[in-house]
Amino acid sequence: MKQSNDVLSGFGTTVFEVMSKLAIQHKAINLGQGFPDEDGPEDIRAMAAKGLMDGPNQYPPMMGTAELRQAVTDANHRFYGIAVEPDSGVLVTSGATEALNDCLMALINPGDEVVLLEPLYDCYLPLVLRAGGIVKSVRLDPPHWGLQKDRLDAAFSEKTKLVLLNNPMNPTGKVFTLSELELLAEYVQKYDAYAVCDEVYEHIVFGLNRHIPLATLPGMGDRTVRIGSAGKTFSLTGWKVGYVTGAEELIAKIAKAHQFVTFTTPPALQNAVAFGLGKDDEFYQNLKDSMQHKRDFIKNGLQSIGFETADCDGTYFINADINSIGFEGTDEEFCKKITTEAGVAAVPVSAFYASEGAKTNFVRFCFCKREEVLSEAIERLDQFFKAN
Ligand code: PMP
Ligand code: GLN
């Protein structure tokens, strides 16, 4: 048989699938893959159910239903003062994953350089490579995940086509500061590049931190696209409804990819998400508060066992240093051990690096779970490390 695609055949099964499977096998509490254990608002789900029964159930417009495009436009204005055109500046996709694929397919020519910040979300590397991009990594180090200028100097060049920025960032839990974003914007403009911003955790930001879209910085509006996902904002990760916003010219290029990838997304889900985006400030505040509470709970629990934890200002994830409790193997070995022997699954942070020589002494715990589940997980880990 002839060989299949070289890029994809070089990748194994994603770490999320591998660890979730192992967690099921060993009846472990799954703090690996990032998904909430409580479904999002009932009224949003009820609206989707009604939409399925009442219709329409045929192909909606390729760019997304009018309701959702208007709701995304309104949300951009409401939360960030960003003006986008509902008819030409919004593209609805089947999740942020499709949006990422569409943006990368549409913007990259084989041989273009793409700046990726490490550790990176797992689909970035295969999608960039499959599109023919050449990866230039900018590594952020635990525990503070600062963005360093000398690393940007080394990564950006005249050949840079785009930077892919995940903010708030998975797996680090980092929320980029205004001065870091200003620095990045300087490089993007200096090299006349695009910025593709994966902002799926835009509403999950803690304390005094604020989510600042790179698109709002001077000179960035026309060269930046912003990706959001209903999965994270409404705790409905299985729905796979995403949206890309940006200048008309850029969205038109990205729609060229979308039309050949999924073309559309289920209309009942789109309209339910449109309703959800209009929820009042209390809903968004509760989402932040409840996630922050879970972050505090797991952080205190991990620290009480003896783990040092890295900074975490947003997202579903917190990272713990395995050396700090005396474990000397790799992060992968650690995750396998706690899944099979302690009954708690996590994911190794080394799975999120594109380049060699990554730190392998951090593991990621997902905390978007009910408090009793987090409590049981901490208890199991505590017992395990006391006995071992
Ligand atoms: N980007 C990041 C950073 C994510 O963590 C995820 C996954 N949860 C996605 C994109 C994918 O989002 P979706 O499920 O909407 O495709
Ligand atoms: N985004 C989720 C995570 O980081 C997982 C999504 C997936 O399984 N592809 O854990």
Side-chain angles (χ1 to χ4, degrees), residues 105-163:
M105 262 181 91
L107 297 175
I108 296 172
N109 273 319
D112 285 343
E113 292 187 359
V114 175
V115 175
L116 297 179
L117 277 63
E118 289 181 314
L120 38 77
Y121 179 57
D122 79 324
C123 71
Y124 292 4
L125 185 63
L127 293 183
V128 168
L129 293 176
R130 188 65 183 88
I134 294 169
V135 173
K136 295 284 161 180
S137 295
V138 173
R139 189 170 289 178
L140 308 181
D141 294 327
H144 304 306
W145 314 112
L147 182 63
Q148 296 178 28
K149 190 174 184 311
D150 57 333
R151 295 185 182 179
L152 292 174
D153 277 329
F156 275 86
S157 76
E158 292 302 333
K159 293 195 202 136
T160 306
K161 176 59 83 63
L162 65 92
V163 60

Side-chain angles (χ1 to χ4, degrees), residues 16 34 94-100 121-124 166-171 198-201 227-232 236-242 316-317 364:
F16 308 124
S94 292
T97 310
E98 195 229 333
L100 284 158
Y121 179 57
D122 79 324
C123 71
Y124 292 4
N166 180 207
N167 181 30
M169 187 182 189
N170 177 7
D198 175 349
E199 302 185 3
V200 300
Y201 299 102
I227 297 172
S229 170
K232 307 297 182 274
L236 295 165
T237 59
W239 277 25
K240 304 295 280 190
V241 177
Y316 288 163
F317 312 109
R364 189 193 81 172

Side-chain angles (χ1 to χ4, degrees), residues 338-367:
I338 61 168
T339 306
T340 56
E341 296 178 33
V344 179
V347 290
V349 173
S350 59
F352 299 92
Y353 285 89
S355 55
E356 295 298 310
K359 289 220 178 235
T360 57
N361 57 315
F362 278 82
V363 298
R364 189 193 81 172
F365 289 96
C366 169
F367 54 76

Side-chain angles (χ1 to χ4, degrees), residues 35-188:
F35 59 91
D37 62 355
E38 290 174 296
D39 285 347
E42 194 172 325
D43 52 0
I44 300 181
R45 288 183 281 131
M47 191 160 165
K50 188 169 178 334
L52 286 177
M53 295 316 294
D54 296 352
N57 282 300
Q58 306 309 324
Y59 293 130
M62 194 260 278
M63 298 297 283
T65 66
E67 289 86 342
L68 183 51
R69 282 183 282 122
Q70 185 60 51
V72 171
T73 295
D74 294 345
N76 269 269
H77 184 260
R78 171 180 169 195
F79 295 110
Y80 312 111
I82 298 175
V84 286
E85 285 298 325
D87 293 335
S88 53
V90 180
L91 172 69
V92 176
T93 57
S94 292
T97 310
E98 195 229 333
L100 284 158
N101 181 58
D102 294 349
C103 291
L104 298 171
M105 262 181 91
L107 297 175
I108 296 172
N109 273 319
D112 285 343
E113 292 187 359
V114 175
V115 175
L116 297 179
L117 277 63
E118 289 181 314
L120 38 77
Y121 179 57
D122 79 324
C123 71
Y124 292 4
L125 185 63
L127 293 183
V128 168
L129 293 176
R130 188 65 183 88
I134 294 169
V135 173
K136 295 284 161 180
S137 295
V138 173
R139 189 170 289 178
L140 308 181
D141 294 327
H144 304 306
W145 314 112
L147 182 63
Q148 296 178 28
K149 190 174 184 311
D150 57 333
R151 295 185 182 179
L152 292 174
D153 277 329
F156 275 86
S157 76
E158 292 302 333
K159 293 195 202 136
T160 306
K161 176 59 83 63
L162 65 92
V163 60
L164 178 44
L165 174 70
N166 180 207
N167 181 30
M169 187 182 189
N170 177 7
T172 62
K174 178 183 174 66
V175 175
F176 286 80
T177 62
L178 178 59
S179 58
E180 286 175 319
L181 295 170
E182 283 169 345
L183 181 64
L184 188 60
E186 218 177 280
Y187 282 81
V188 173

